[in-house]
Every structure is written in structure tokens, then in C-alpha cells.
Amino acid sequence: MNRRHSFSRTSPRMTDRIPRAALISIALVLIVGVAFFASTRGGIVDNRADYIIRQYQDRASQLESKVASLQTENDNKRAQIERLNNDVIKSLMEKAEADKKVASQNKEREKTRQVEIEQQCKTETAVQKSQIMAEIAKVKTELRDAVALLPTVREERTAFITLVTNNFWKPGIVLVQSARDHGVTAPFVIMAVDPDGVLPTDPKFVKLPAEAEAAFKKLNAEVRYIDPVPIPEGAQFENPRWSIAWNKLRAWTFEEFTRLVFLDSDMMVRADITEMLSFPEFSTAPGQDE
């Protein structure tokens, strides 16, 4: 402290050694320097801010240009899509219109064809009807002429017929019974003949046993005694029993029937044979050699 005080006492003040004008000049210089520095520093800051602002403005302008370009491209694509849609719609409408026109034409042609077919059918039907009516008239005339030639019309009467003897009748029972068992309801005629050729009017004639007649009657089979058919002179048979088969020809004498089906008495029916009574013409069972 003492030293400082002594220094203060011994050292003169700067203001005492520097003239006032110089001090003013120095102050002015300082003020001008500070102002210049301040202005220079502010200009640098302002230039930096302007630079950054210009960069952002340029970037924004670029982005705006890019957005505008994208918008333009998008508008172009949208317009292109719109044109494509319009072209597709137009093409579809044109196709639909063409299809509609073709369908209308086809419908018209079909209608015309249908009218032609109907007219043709009517014409053909009229011709066929005329032909049929003419044929019917012809048939009626032929039938009328045929009826005029027939004095009477016989009632259809059919039956099955077989041949037995007084010593060979049991197989005939089996034949009729098997037919009845399979649904045959048609009449049966049993031709009975004497194996020795005796006539039924001869006292020596031997009828079927009573039990045989009763059995046939129970099966709704009519027994008829027949005269033996004469054997042609000189006829010879390997088996004498075959001479009895000659009597089968007697079936042709039953004129009250319109159709007869002869069955051998040693046969056995295994199905309904009623349809055989409706055969339109003379028929025989095929032989083993055929």
C-alpha cells in the first residue's frame, strides 16, 4: 500500500502527460474503429443469413419445380388413363352394340326360319294327313270287303292239349300241375287213347282210372277220349310206343278251338307259357339238329 501510494504520488497521471486534443483524437479513432468493426461484423452476419436464405429459397424453388413436374406428370398419366378408360369403354360399348345388332339379326333370322319351318310343317302335315286319310279310307274299304266275305267271325278260343293212355297218364298230371304252378290258367285238353287201338265205343275199351280223371278234373283239365288214328299200311317204328304218338294228329279235329298248343305229356313246365297261345301262325319248338 505504501509503495502504491508512493507510486501514485511520484507518478503523474496519464491525462497530465497526454494533451486533451490527443485524447479526443484517440477517442474518436476508437469510436470510429468500434463503429467500423461493428458495421463490418454486422455485414458478415447479414451476408451469411442472406446466403442461407438464398439456399433455402433455391431448395424450395427446386422442390416446387419438382412438385410441379410430378404434378404435371401425374396429370399426364391421369389424362392418359382417362383416355384409355374412355377408349376401353368406347370399345366395349361398340362391341356391345355390335353384339346386340348381331343378336337382333340372328333373332330375326331365327324367327324367319321358325316361320318357314312352321309353314313347311303345316304343308307336310296337310299332305301327310291327306295321305293318311286316303290310306284309312282304303283300309276301311278293304276291311268292309273282307267282312263282307266272312259270313261270321269266330270267337277266339285257345287251349293247351296233350296225349295220354290208360297206362301212361301220371306224367300228364305232372305236366298240368307244373303249368298251374307257374301261373298258366288257360284250358287244358287231355286226349286219352287206348294203347292197343281200341275204339272208345268198343266194349273192350279201357278208360283212364277214376283217380286219373279226378286228378285232371281238379286241375281244370278236360279229358276227351279219341279214336285212334289209323297207322299207314307198311309203317314201321323202331319203338312200338312211337305208334301211339301217331294219335297226336287227332288234335287237328278239335275245330271248336281257334288255336291249340300241343305239349308232350312227359314234359314239365318251368315258367308261364301262356304267351304261346298268342303266336300268330303255326310254330314248333326247334329240334336238336337245328
Side-chain angles (χ1 to χ4, degrees):
M1 289 296 294
N2 294 330
R3 186 178 296 177
R4 186 175 62 246
H5 289 304
S6 61
F7 177 79
S8 299
R9 284 194 303 270
T10 58
S11 298
R13 293 183 299 178
M14 185 177 293
T15 56
D16 293 336
R17 288 184 300 173
I18 299 173
R20 183 178 297 275
L23 291 175
I24 293 171
S25 298
I26 292 169
L28 290 174
V29 170
L30 290 175
I31 292 170
V32 171
V34 170
F36 178 78
F37 178 78
S39 63
T40 304
R41 183 66 178 173
I44 293 173
V45 172
D46 291 340
N47 290 336
R48 181 65 178 171
D50 291 339
Y51 176 75
I52 292 172
I53 289 171
R54 282 195 301 271
Q55 282 187 334
Y56 278 109
Q57 288 176 345
D58 293 341
R59 181 62 177 167
S61 178
Q62 292 176 359
L63 291 175
E64 289 178 356
S65 299
K66 188 172 183 178
V67 169
S69 177
L70 291 175
Q71 184 66 32
T72 302
E73 184 179 357
N74 187 30
D75 292 340
N76 293 333
K77 289 183 177 180
R78 185 175 297 175
Q80 185 179 3
I81 292 172
E82 187 70 22
R83 286 194 301 272
L84 290 175
N85 288 336
N86 292 335
D87 293 341
V88 170
I89 293 173
K90 183 179 179 181
S91 177
L92 291 176
M93 291 180 66
E94 290 176 352
K95 188 177 184 303
E97 189 66 25
D99 292 343
K100 183 178 180 181
K101 185 177 180 180
V102 171
S104 178
Q105 293 175 351
N106 291 336
K107 184 177 180 181
E108 191 66 27
R109 283 195 295 268
E110 184 66 23
K111 185 177 180 180
T112 303
R113 177 60 178 166
Q114 186 175 0
V115 171
E116 292 176 354
I117 292 175
E118 290 179 355
Q119 186 64 31
Q120 184 179 358
C121 289
K122 288 180 179 180
T123 303
E124 292 178 355
T125 302
V127 173
Q128 292 177 357
K129 184 177 180 181
S130 177
Q131 293 175 350
I132 292 172
M133 294 301 294
E135 192 68 25
I136 291 174
K138 181 180 178 181
V139 171
K140 285 183 177 181
T141 302
E142 292 177 353
L143 287 175
R144 187 166 53 250
D145 296 341
V147 170
L149 296 175
L150 293 176
T152 57
V153 178
R154 296 179 60 187
E155 180 182 358
E156 185 76 10
R157 188 180 178 188
T158 60
F160 291 98
I161 190 169
T162 188
L163 176 68
V164 299
T165 63
N166 53 18
N167 61 357
F168 191 80
W169 55 268
K170 289 184 179 180
I173 298 293
V174 175
L175 168 65
V176 180
Q177 182 66 61
S178 62
R180 298 303 188 212
D181 291 342
H182 287 87
V184 178
T185 60
F188 260 89
V189 176
I190 311 299
M191 294 188 299
V193 66
D194 190 299
D196 297 326
V198 180
L199 295 174
T201 57
D202 194 314
K204 297 180 181 180
F205 181 81
V206 180
K207 292 185 176 182
L208 298 178
E211 60 176 327
E213 291 186 347
F216 281 124
K217 184 177 181 181
K218 185 177 180 180
L219 294 172
N220 192 25
E222 180 186 0
V223 177
R224 292 193 183 187
Y225 295 99
I226 63 172
D227 294 339
V229 177
I231 298 175
E233 184 178 356
Q236 296 181 357
F237 302 97
E238 296 180 4
N239 190 333
R241 185 171 60 87
W242 291 353
S243 63
I244 300 175
W246 201 260
N247 295 288
K248 296 178 182 179
L249 296 174
R250 190 62 71 183
W252 294 96
T253 63
F254 294 88
E255 296 182 356
E256 67 270 28
F257 294 98
T258 57
R259 187 177 289 106
L260 287 171
V261 175
F262 185 89
L263 304 173
D264 285 333
S265 60
D266 58 353
M267 296 174 63
M268 179 179 289
V269 177
R270 302 182 62 183
D272 189 352
I273 58 174
T274 304
E275 65 174 344
M276 296 176 66
L277 294 171
S278 62
F279 289 172
E281 57 187 14
F282 181 79
S283 304
T284 59
Q288 296 181 355
D289 297 334
E290 296 184 7

